[in-house]
Amino acid sequence: MALFVNRPRILDTTLRDGEQTPGVSLKPEDKLSIATLLSDIGVDVIEVGSAAASDGERESLRLISDTGLKAEICTFVRGVKLDIDYAADYGADSVHLVIPVSDLHIEKKLRKDREYVTKMAWDSVEYAKDRGLIVELSGEDASRADPEYLLNLYAGGVERGADRLCFCDTVGVLTPERAAELLPQYCIAPLSIHCHNDLGMGLATTLAGLKAGATCAHVTVNGLGERAGNTPLEDLVMSLEVLYGLDTGINTEEIYHLSTLVSRLTRVPLPTNKSIVGEMAFTHESGIHAHGILRDSATYEPISPELVGRKRRILLGKHSGSASVEAALSEMGYIIEPRQLQEIVARVKKLGDDGKRVTDSDLHAIAEAVLDISCTPVIRMKQYTTVSGNSVMPTASVTLFVNGDEITQASTGAGPVDAVIMALRKAVQDVGDITLEEYHVDAIYGGTDALVDVTVTLRKDGELITSRGARTDIVMASVEAMISGMNRLLRKRDEDRG
């Protein structure tokens, strides 16, 4: 069955249902920022809170209504004249008139009967029309209501002037199959589908509702909302556009901007693996996947990240292959040889095996270290040991090959790093007097097992060079930085002699 309309309308309720996320409270100026972007990207209707809830909510409604946005400005109202008056007085174009329709809500929440609720609904429709408002008559908990009772309430509402109807799956229990069965009978006026995501069915049921005849979908940015939230705007829009080939009228390239704005203002972080807008949605680590992506992004991406205002990321770790590491290095401007690449990949995988995520800073440090030591060395490390403790003088011994000759030296120091550096300098003193001018260490990311980036500045015969080492062991990183730096100074000596 084809979708009922070629261009479903989008009603965004981030500023009402989304703000009902526990702990979220938006200031009027925050709501205006979100509403402005929602309107700019092409959302048809914006539900701006509940005007009866507070002075701040009424101020938000007035502020947004007076801005002259392209989108229709709506507000939530109960079947109460005061709510409707607030909506009209503070500039709303329309009202989302929500009426409890399941016997559970009627009897337990309202402690009334069906006849009372029916009259309340119909009288409220008439009053809202008299106040000049567009009315969307909404059945709360419609998915658990008696279908015949709901149809009668809807029909009476339409007779009294309701412009639109809404079927609310208030606790997320409606299945796509049940939506396909129920909704067609309620299409006596333009029908909206409003789904919650308690059982993870929000998007699927919303799509089924549109396919069954609904012409409008209620959504929230990032799927915000009470409990497990509502149908996410970004998921619905991209599903309709990509999977069903429909024009939603939404500027999809602004979706990520909208998502991050809402996340920042609500202080609700995006789940890492959230579809479309999560950090990992367009991030690849697996060597097979990354290799495929680099050849043709369609191999492992259903849409291009640019379509929603994002960029692809190749994340390096133990699953990374040579292709993804080489691509990342190329983006950083490194020109590397195969044997250098092999060493860099090995170090990346080692960090991944240690449970770490390799950042751009890590890769920079690893690449610099490998490029320094990969040239033909004057000095090669065979082994080193360090000993330290609260009752032991820090001591280090090193065994090096210097121009092919094996040399062993030992030294004490203020600590294990100082001791090993002193031992290294003593081991090479016959081929060059090298002094340590400066020593600097950074932990690239937090934790006791952080990758350590050591930078040393060495001097020989007035010549200064800076060298780096990057390892999870500070002593090993220091040894690496020292040896690569000494090699550069000693190679330069040989080149100058030549």
Side-chain angles (χ1 to χ4, degrees):
M1 182 189 300
L3 285 162
F4 186 74
V5 290
N6 289 326
R7 189 202 177 292
R9 300 172 73 249
I10 304 293
L11 182 149
D12 183 272
T13 182
T14 302
L15 302 182
R16 198 272 300 177
D17 230 338
E19 194 186 20
Q20 290 173 203
T21 301
V24 173
S25 181
L26 295 166
K27 296 180 289 186
E29 55 268 30
D30 294 338
K31 286 198 169 192
L32 178 61
S33 296
I34 294 171
T36 300
L37 189 50
L38 284 168
S39 179
D40 287 347
I41 74 168
V43 166
D44 299 284
V45 186
I46 302 170
E47 187 175 14
V48 184
S50 171
S54 69
D55 289 338
E57 288 290 87
R58 290 187 284 279
E59 181 185 348
S60 296
L61 177 58
R62 171 65 75 193
L63 182 64
I64 293 169
S65 296
D66 288 349
T67 302
L69 302 179
K70 292 182 294 183
E72 177 185 311
I73 304 304
C74 178
T75 189
F76 173 99
V77 298
R78 301 164 296 174
V80 176
K81 285 187 176 181
L82 180 61
D83 287 22
I84 296 167
D85 284 335
Y86 279 139
D89 294 344
Y90 284 85
D93 300 310
S94 62
V95 289
H96 182 203
L97 173 59
V98 179
I99 305 294
V101 293
S102 69
D103 289 333
L104 178 63
H105 277 230
I106 291 170
E107 296 169 7
K108 300 298 182 181
K109 185 175 79 171
L110 293 183
R111 300 191 178 186
K112 302 294 182 181
D113 56 27
R114 290 183 178 185
E115 289 72 22
Y116 177 91
V117 169
T118 300
K119 184 176 187 304
M120 176 179 67
W122 292 350
D123 289 349
S124 297
V125 170
E126 290 181 331
Y127 187 72
K129 293 306 296 181
D130 287 344
R131 291 301 318 262
L133 295 162
I134 299 168
V135 176
E136 181 158 321
L137 175 59
S138 190
E140 183 181 13
D141 205 26
S143 48
R144 295 191 291 185
D146 174 5
E148 290 186 9
Y149 170 69
L150 180 59
L151 181 59
N152 177 65
L153 185 141
Y154 278 161
V158 172
E159 288 176 5
R160 288 162 177 79
D163 302 277
R164 304 190 289 258
L165 303 172
C166 180
F167 188 99
C168 287
D169 181 28
T170 302
V171 293
V173 296
L174 186 65
T175 64
E177 295 81 5
R178 184 64 172 155
E181 178 185 334
L182 281 177
L183 265 62
Q185 65 186 308
Y186 303 126
C187 295
I188 55 177
L191 180 69
S192 298
I193 177 74
H194 177 114
C195 293
H196 284 254
N197 209 33
D198 294 80
L199 296 174
M201 301 291 284
L203 174 62
T205 304
T206 299
L207 289 168
L210 291 172
K211 201 168 185 180
T215 58
C216 177
H218 288 201
V219 296
T220 59
V221 177
N222 302 336
L224 290 176
E226 295 178 276
R227 306 180 310 281
N230 293 45
T231 301
L233 177 148
E234 57 278 3
D235 293 2
L236 180 71
V237 167
M238 297 316 300
S239 293
L240 290 172
E241 294 259 355
V242 175
L243 302 181
Y244 292 90
L246 294 177
D247 176 15
T248 61
I250 300 296
N251 177 5
T252 64
E253 293 180 3
E254 289 295 318
I255 282 178
Y256 187 59
H257 178 200
L258 173 65
S259 174
T260 53
L261 173 69
V262 170
S263 178
R264 177 171 59 82
L265 294 180
T266 60
R267 296 182 176 84
V268 177
L270 291 168
T272 299
N273 63 340
K274 170 73 178 69
S275 53
I276 310 298
V277 293
E279 180 184 354
M280 296 301 173
F282 297 99
T283 299
H284 308 271
E285 178 186 332
S286 170
I288 295 172
H289 284 208
H291 194 206
I293 285 291
L294 292 168
R295 290 188 171 184
D296 186 334
S297 62
T299 52
Y300 290 103
E301 287 176 349
I303 62 173
S304 69
E306 291 78 14
L307 192 59
V308 291
R310 302 202 61 184
K311 291 184 178 180
R312 179 178 303 108
R313 293 175 62 230
I314 303 296
L315 186 67
L316 301 181
K318 67 179 180 180
H319 301 112
S320 299
S322 297
S324 54
V325 174
E326 186 173 22
L329 290 167
S330 178
E331 286 185 6
M332 293 177 177
Y334 289 105
I335 300 173
I336 54 176
E337 298 174 0
R339 61 192 177 88
Q340 295 168 336
L341 176 61
Q342 185 178 7
E343 174 63 18
I344 293 171
V345 171
R347 295 195 186 193
V348 166
K349 287 182 177 290
K350 177 63 169 62
L351 285 175
D353 282 335
D354 291 340
K356 302 176 181 66
R357 199 171 95 184
V358 182
T359 67
D360 287 348
S361 296
D362 298 337
L363 188 59
H364 272 297
I366 291 170
E368 290 290 328
V370 169
L371 291 175
D372 266 354
I373 66 175
S374 62
C375 298
T376 302
V378 176
I379 304 165
R380 287 192 298 112
M381 169 64 70
K382 181 178 181 181
Q383 66 179 26
Y384 75 88
T385 60
T386 59
V387 179
S388 65
N390 60 359
S391 60
V392 178
M393 171 70 73
T395 304
S397 66
V398 299
T399 300
L400 306 177
F401 291 102
V402 181
N403 288 325
D405 297 328
E406 185 173 317
I407 298 175
T408 299
Q409 285 288 355
S411 183
T412 59
V417 171
D418 185 46
V420 79
I421 289 175
M422 294 290 289
L424 287 169
R425 291 180 57 216
K426 288 171 66 175
V428 301
Q429 62 187 357
D430 288 344
V431 293
D433 181 20
I434 298 174
T435 59
L436 175 66
E437 297 291 315
E438 186 177 343
Y439 176 90
H440 182 76
V441 60
D442 285 310
I444 292 178
Y445 51 81
T448 56
D449 58 352
L451 182 72
V452 174
D453 183 13
V454 170
T455 304
V456 296
T457 301
L458 304 177
R459 180 190 294 272
K460 180 184 178 297
D461 299 332
E463 185 76 24
L464 281 174
I465 65 100
T466 298
S467 180
R468 299 171 69 184
R471 297 282 184 171
T472 54
D473 183 315
I474 189 171
V475 177
M476 187 180 294
S478 301
V479 168
E480 184 174 80
M482 286 294 296
I483 289 180
S484 63
M486 290 190 296
N487 268 318
R488 285 168 60 190
L489 282 171
L490 295 173
R491 282 197 304 270
K492 189 174 191 317
R493 175 203 63 182
D494 293 340
E495 290 164 3
D496 290 345
R497 285 178 178 173

